Amino acid sequence: MSPHRTRIIQLVDPAALAARACEEVQRAAHEALEQRGVFHLALSGGSTPKLLYRALAESGADFSRWHVHFGDERCVPPGHADSNFRMASEAWLGRGQVPAAQVHRIQGELEPAQAAREYERELVASLGATGEVRLDLALLGLGTDGHTASLFPGSSALAETSARVAATFVEKLAAQRITLTLPMLNESRAVLFLVAGSDKVDALRELFHGDPEARPLPAALVRPREGNVTWMVDGAAAAGLQDE
Ligand code: 6PG
């Protein structure tokens, strides 16, 4: 873990984590809008960020110059119960506060390789307008096995060194996923990990106190070349920040 660019913020519970993360997202948005007139945010999937998305929906912020992307998606249609797009829509995007043309959905219903190609094309078209294909802020979660986005231990997508988006088959889930790759994530101007729950203690402990000689967990490979990494961890997961 590269400590000099890593910030750890501990919050008492998921509600406090969501509130603090909402502040952080809006701070990043303000900075991006000041500097470039647009804010490019990539959402994380899973369950942890739901409260954050609800907080953003209730924040009263002006989203007119926000572009919302996705860090990964399951290979399912947008209305499927497993869809990250559906989760984010129910919690926030369905309210139409972000202009529809500025919500960039990964088309999970397409054949995976095609979905990855289409999404990379849309990312470049949307982000490239500011000159560099870089996210302003990437929201990420942490799996119990140390995965992040859909970069799972041992997955082919982890080895991708040039493509910005990859289709990957996740053995343990027997499921296809579409994910941003490390080259894309490590171009982010900032990364915010949201981690809640006692089931994340072991992964956090391995990340922050594991054997430096061991194969790094996927989340440890997210090291933006110029960005900062912030970890927001709730009380239940925070035991993992302490060495045994
Ligand atoms: C996904 C996410 C994934 C998630 C972690 C943590 O599509 O599931 O992108 O990386 O962030 O699995 O998930 P929870 O927040 O549900 O614990």
Side-chain angles (χ1 to χ4, degrees):
M1 189 60 56
S2 52
H4 65 288
R5 287 208 308 271
T6 302
R7 181 174 55 146
I8 300 172
I9 302 174
Q10 189 175 326
L11 291 308
V12 64
D13 59 20
L17 187 151
R20 182 69 179 79
C22 188
E23 288 171 13
E24 185 64 22
V25 171
Q26 293 188 75
R27 187 204 58 72
H30 178 77
E31 184 176 303
L33 292 173
E34 286 281 300
Q35 291 176 7
R36 290 173 295 280
V38 65
F39 175 52
H40 287 281
L41 170 70
L43 302 187
S44 171
S47 57
T48 303
K50 281 181 194 169
L51 288 181
L52 163 59
Y53 301 157
R54 289 196 192 121
L56 285 168
E58 300 296 333
S59 68
D62 172 6
F63 298 107
S64 60
R65 292 181 293 160
W66 291 36
H67 282 251
V68 174
H69 307 267
F70 287 79
D72 71 330
E73 185 56 279
R74 291 79 181 280
C75 288
V76 295
H80 191 282
D82 291 348
S83 165
N84 286 335
F85 175 80
R86 175 174 165 176
M87 178 275 286
S89 297
E90 288 173 348
W92 174 30
L93 300 175
R95 298 197 185 194
Q97 296 169 340
V98 180
Q102 293 166 211
V103 176
H104 306 281
R105 181 177 72 86
I106 300 174
Q107 297 175 81
E109 68 277 21
L110 297 180
E111 185 274 328
Q114 184 189 358
R117 281 194 306 276
E118 285 291 312
Y119 194 59
E120 177 149 354
R121 185 192 54 73
E122 183 160 348
L123 262 183
V124 172
S126 160
L127 288 167
T130 59
E132 297 173 293
V133 185
R134 299 181 70 192
L135 291 164
D136 293 305
L137 178 62
L139 299 177
L140 290 173
L142 178 69
T144 55
D145 58 0
H147 80 262
T148 192
S150 284
L151 298 169
F152 284 76
S155 78
S156 57
L158 264 184
E160 180 56 58
T161 56
S162 58
R164 294 182 175 95
V165 183
T168 182
F169 181 72
V170 182
E171 297 285 344
K172 68 185 290 189
L173 303 174
Q176 290 277 9
R177 295 280 188 97
I178 309 298
T179 186
L180 296 187
T181 60
L182 289 171
M184 182 65 201
L185 289 172
N186 287 334
E187 281 297 303
S188 302
R189 292 185 173 89
V191 171
L192 173 57
F193 280 96
L194 305 177
V195 185
S198 57
D199 60 336
K200 306 297 173 76
V201 167
D202 291 345
L204 276 177
R205 184 164 289 131
E206 183 169 346
L207 276 170
F208 287 94
H209 302 291
D211 174 1
E213 299 303 310
R215 182 173 67 173
L217 295 177
L221 299 174
V222 176
R223 301 189 193 106
R225 65 182 173 85
E226 287 179 359
N228 292 317
V229 178
T230 300
W231 290 81
M232 290 190 184
V233 180
D234 82 339
L241 297 172
Q242 314 305 323
D243 206 346
E244 288 232 76

